[in-house]
Amino acid sequence: MQITDIMAAQARYARCIDTDRLEAWPDFFTEDCSYRITTAENHRLGYAAGLMWADSRGMLEDRVAALREANIYERHSYRHVLGLPLMEEEGPEGLRSETPFLVARIMRDGATDLFATGRYLDLWRSDAAGAPKLAERIVVCDSSRIDTLLALPL
Amino acid sequence: MPDHNLPEATPFAGLTAPPEVPWPEGLTRVPYWVFQRDDVAALEQSHVFRGDTWNYLCLEAEIANPGDYRATTLGGVPILAVRDQDGEIYAFENRCVHRGALIALEDFGHAREFTCVYHAWSYDLQGNLKGIAFKDGINGQGGMPECFRMADHSPRKLRTAVVHGLVFASASDTVPPIEEYLGDEVMDRIGRVLAGREVEVIGRFTQELPNNWKLYVENVRDSYHASLLHLFFTTFELNKLSMKGGLIVSESGGNHVSYSAIDREAEAKAKAASDYAAQNIRSESDYRLKDPSVLEGQDEFGDGVTLQILSVFPGFVLQQIQNALAIRQVVPRGSGRTDLHWTYIGFKDDTPELRKMRLKQGNLVGPAGYVSMEDGCVGGFVQRGVVGASDRHAVLEMGGTDAKSTRTRATEASVRGFWKAYRQCTGL
């Protein structure tokens, strides 16, 4: 995997969420993936709980189904702006990278706010076709504060 | 001829102007102005949070060792909760008696003593002033006057009480002891989850709510809304007919427990019946969870209770939703905003399987929770909905007019209970 492969995957990931194609979002992950949204303070203290916490792609699909069918929240969208990924050496478990993000939240009435900043701590593995998939994504938000609610994934 | 020089006979001394409309008698009406006015918010800080109430500060486990401290607020006032060398927990105002600066700046920490950064006045772990920099001056010049006695100048101290590992404090000298304040039933229900357990924090998050704090604590006590607003369990056909539940409201009205449990008798009967399948709730939904392991929790307390939401007036919540345990602390930020502090907990002796289940079921709760994210926005819907309606009121008649314990959760009894305690505290 080259840095350009990771950057391309990140760009597709951001567009997938920002254009409301959430049904395709689990496809960025491996079957036995781990996905967690936490905060810098929790991460530093080693606290394992997450705002969202999944250890299978099925749980990500359930998250999307719940958002579509069950949960109630005001319509809104995100705009992800991603920084450059910092790549680590590729090891036996895969390739690790760290990518900073900014996410603005646009409410149905047009109100736009900076919703979250943070970094993705990722573990990438190639699928059968050689495409990078997320075996692990820990979303570490810089702030411990969440405004109103967290519905769409980061 | 009325004497206009006499003060108002109605008890609105704490407000800057009389309310838009009087508060109707009884517990079934709540005027919307109570969610909107800054003078009400100020009155609440002094009469509710700093009044005759017990307020949650932190977990005992968060200040486990002598010198450990937690900085928080009570009624807007900065407070330190500290464990001293004697093993006891003390709480005092986090404000230097010299010029008013904060004594401790971090939310959590460890100290042998506290020293104000401004002029280095220092305090022991019980909050006694112990040192003044250059007290005797320099080369015989300056310094504090002879008559200044440090013992007369200490930050205000608060009463503290520890209940099954929960640290509470009160700014009141007249509030009853915590056991009496909570009532036996609420004490027992706290003990059911926490008694004799070694708590471990597994996560901390703060949710900023776009509404008055009372709209959130009403929501917590509102057992009526649960299956109507939160559709997750219904959509995925996870509701069971064989559930029983109830509501406990403390004598004061202010504290409550809402619970539901598997009704083993009904379950056994249903199983015995040949048409067992027909007894399950049918819904229009075709949705099923891809990974239903999120709901394969353990009956860790051995009583079949899958949900217990417990509140203590004014702003404390203890939550058990299956194996997801959390403390919620409700902190007002003016009349229109609220900080909701979540502390997710487990126990030191959790098996790896149980701990993993807590993490997994963490998805049910918190700012992104399947059965709680709606609570983050619904208070805002009310806050925005009642703009311009300060002369109108909410209706709380579900399940009657009183604030008593009941076997059903289709009631607003504990919401009425909150207002009973609130009006008692504020005189509104």
Side-chain angles (χ1 to χ4, degrees):
Chain A
M1 276 178 282
Q2 304 295 314
I3 187 167
T4 47
D5 299 328
I6 301 304
M7 290 168 73
Q10 300 277 38
R12 283 194 298 272
Y13 179 100
R15 190 178 62 175
C16 173
I17 294 173
D18 295 353
T19 55
D20 192 30
R21 280 179 279 185
L22 292 182
E23 283 69 16
W25 169 66
D27 297 340
F28 288 91
F29 293 84
T30 63
E31 182 64 41
D32 60 348
C33 67
S34 161
Y35 175 79
R36 180 154 61 95
I37 302 180
T38 185
T39 72
E41 188 202 7
N42 284 280
H43 190 66
R44 178 171 55 81
L45 294 169
Y47 293 160
L51 291 161
M52 293 185 193
W53 192 101
D55 65 353
S56 71
R57 192 162 60 200
M59 285 186 75
L60 301 181
E61 291 168 14
D62 291 338
R63 176 60 72 169
V64 174
L67 289 176
R68 294 292 196 218
E69 305 301 333
N71 288 124
I72 293 163
Y73 50 92
E74 280 187 280
R75 185 160 47 81
H76 63 274
S77 63
Y78 289 160
R79 178 63 60 200
H80 282 72
V81 180
L82 304 186
L84 295 173
L86 179 69
M87 315 293 289
E88 289 179 19
E89 287 291 303
E90 192 160 358
E93 53 172 9
L95 174 65
R96 288 196 179 273
S97 70
E98 178 179 328
T99 308
F101 64 79
L102 297 176
V103 175
R105 184 174 61 185
I106 304 96
M107 300 304 294
R108 66 181 174 88
D109 67 354
T112 303
D113 288 300
L114 184 59
F115 180 61
T117 70
R119 56 201 174 119
Y120 293 130
L121 303 182
D122 294 333
L123 175 64
W124 301 88
R125 282 186 202 136
S126 301
D127 68 3
K133 296 284 179 186
L134 287 161
E136 181 180 278
R137 164 156 285 187
I138 305 173
V139 184
V140 183
C141 297
D142 293 322
S143 170
S144 285
R145 305 175 79 83
I146 295 289
D147 180 64
T148 308
L149 54 78
L150 174 69
L152 308 176
L154 290 168
Chain B
M1 183 114 169
D3 182 352
H4 292 287
N5 293 323
L6 281 177
E8 287 268 338
T10 41
F12 303 121
L15 302 184
T16 54
E20 286 78 349
V21 288
W23 200 321
E25 283 299 305
L27 302 172
T28 61
R29 295 291 184 274
V30 179
Y32 292 136
W33 54 258
V34 82
F35 303 112
Q36 298 171 320
R37 295 173 55 133
D38 291 342
D39 57 353
V40 171
L43 180 76
E44 288 163 352
Q45 295 288 38
S46 58
H47 284 62
V48 177
F49 292 93
R50 302 200 302 269
D52 287 340
T53 56
W54 286 99
N55 294 265
Y56 172 79
L57 293 185
C58 62
L59 290 162
E60 209 182 2
E62 291 174 312
I63 47 173
N65 301 308
D68 288 352
Y69 69 86
R70 161 72 159 143
T72 180
T73 60
L74 197 167
V77 175
I79 300 290
L80 283 173
V82 189
R83 191 181 294 271
D84 189 20
Q85 301 299 338
D86 65 4
E88 298 296 316
I89 290 171
Y90 296 84
F92 51 91
E93 292 184 344
N94 181 12
R95 181 195 319 113
C96 185
V97 294
H98 176 214
R99 299 268 287 276
L102 294 171
I103 298 168
L105 304 175
E106 294 292 331
D107 290 341
F108 291 93
H110 183 85
R112 273 185 306 177
E113 58 172 17
F114 294 101
T115 304
C116 176
V117 294
Y118 201 171
H119 303 91
W121 287 33
S122 61
Y123 301 87
D124 68 15
L125 298 177
Q126 297 186 16
N128 300 304
L129 178 62
K130 287 294 183 187
I132 294 178
F134 304 124
K135 182 169 179 288
D136 302 322
I138 299 170
N139 300 328
Q141 304 282 310
M144 296 294 284
E146 286 283 326
C147 60
F148 187 86
R149 291 167 47 81
M150 286 199 286
D152 297 340
H153 297 264
S154 282
R156 205 155 75 97
K157 295 174 183 180
L158 285 81
R159 288 169 69 187
T160 60
V162 179
V163 177
H164 298 306
L166 306 169
V167 180
F168 287 88
S170 181
S172 162
D173 294 326
T174 50
V175 68
I178 188 104
E179 295 78 9
E180 196 183 314
Y181 182 85
L182 294 171
D184 289 343
E185 285 182 297
V186 174
M187 274 291 280
D188 288 350
R189 290 295 181 140
I190 295 174
R192 173 183 165 270
V193 179
L194 297 175
R197 307 303 297 270
E198 275 195 86
V199 170
E200 200 167 272
V201 174
I202 60 173
R204 270 195 218 109
F205 304 99
T206 297
Q207 189 173 5
E208 296 179 20
L209 304 175
N211 53 263
N212 187 276
W213 69 280
K214 299 188 294 299
L215 291 170
Y216 185 77
V217 296
E218 272 194 316
N219 173 280
V220 163
R221 287 164 173 81
D222 175 4
S223 50
Y224 173 35
H225 84 284
S227 62
L228 301 171
L229 175 65
H230 307 300
L231 301 176
F232 177 79
F233 287 122
T234 315
T235 301
F236 294 97
E237 298 198 12
L238 304 167
N239 288 330
K240 286 181 182 170
L241 271 183
S242 53
M243 297 293 280
K244 60 177 181 183
L247 194 72
I248 297 166
V249 185
S250 70
E251 188 61 35
S252 66
N255 316 319
H256 104 291
V257 185
S258 171
Y259 61 95
S260 58
I262 296 163
D263 186 341
R264 298 201 195 284
E265 221 169 277
E267 202 173 55
K269 268 186 203 157
K271 268 183 187 150
S274 56
D275 57 346
Y276 176 61
Q279 306 230 4
N280 287 315
I281 290 179
R282 287 271 162 241
S283 82
E284 302 298 308
S285 148
D286 289 327
Y287 300 103
R288 294 292 182 281
L289 289 179
K290 289 265 171 39
D291 187 343
S293 67
V294 70
L295 294 161
E296 291 163 5
Q298 304 177 14
D299 183 12
E300 63 174 307
F301 304 107
D303 55 8
V305 173
T306 55
L307 175 141
Q308 176 184 292
I309 304 294
L310 181 153
S311 71
V312 175
F313 187 84
F316 170 83
V317 182
L318 171 65
Q319 157 222 303
Q320 176 226 336
I321 297 179
Q322 304 195 17
N323 300 125
L325 310 179
I327 308 294
R328 308 180 203 161
Q329 185 188 16
V330 182
V331 178
R333 293 272 179 251
S335 58
R337 295 199 72 84
T338 301
D339 280 354
L340 178 59
H341 299 294
W342 295 81
T343 306
Y344 294 20
I345 58 171
F347 300 119
K348 283 223 161 67
D349 58 0
D350 283 349
T351 61
E353 294 74 26
L354 180 55
R355 180 59 61 89
K356 189 173 169 187
M357 190 48 66
R358 295 198 201 289
L359 302 177
K360 214 169 245 203
Q361 293 188 334
N363 283 295
L364 297 171
V365 300
Y370 286 138
V371 296
S372 73
M373 77 166 75
E374 290 86 3
D375 297 329
C377 60
V378 78
F381 298 166
V382 177
Q383 194 80 36
R384 281 149 54 190
V386 301
V387 169
S390 49
D391 59 339
R392 301 299 185 100
H393 46 248
V395 175
L396 295 172
E397 293 192 36
M398 186 58 59
T401 58
D402 63 11
K404 295 198 163 66
S405 299
T406 150
R407 301 295 298 172
T408 176
R409 293 197 296 142
T411 175
E412 289 165 324
S414 41
V415 183
R416 289 189 289 271
F418 170 80
W419 292 110
K420 180 181 166 188
Y422 178 87
R423 296 188 71 176
Q424 175 72 34
C425 258
T426 57
L428 290 175

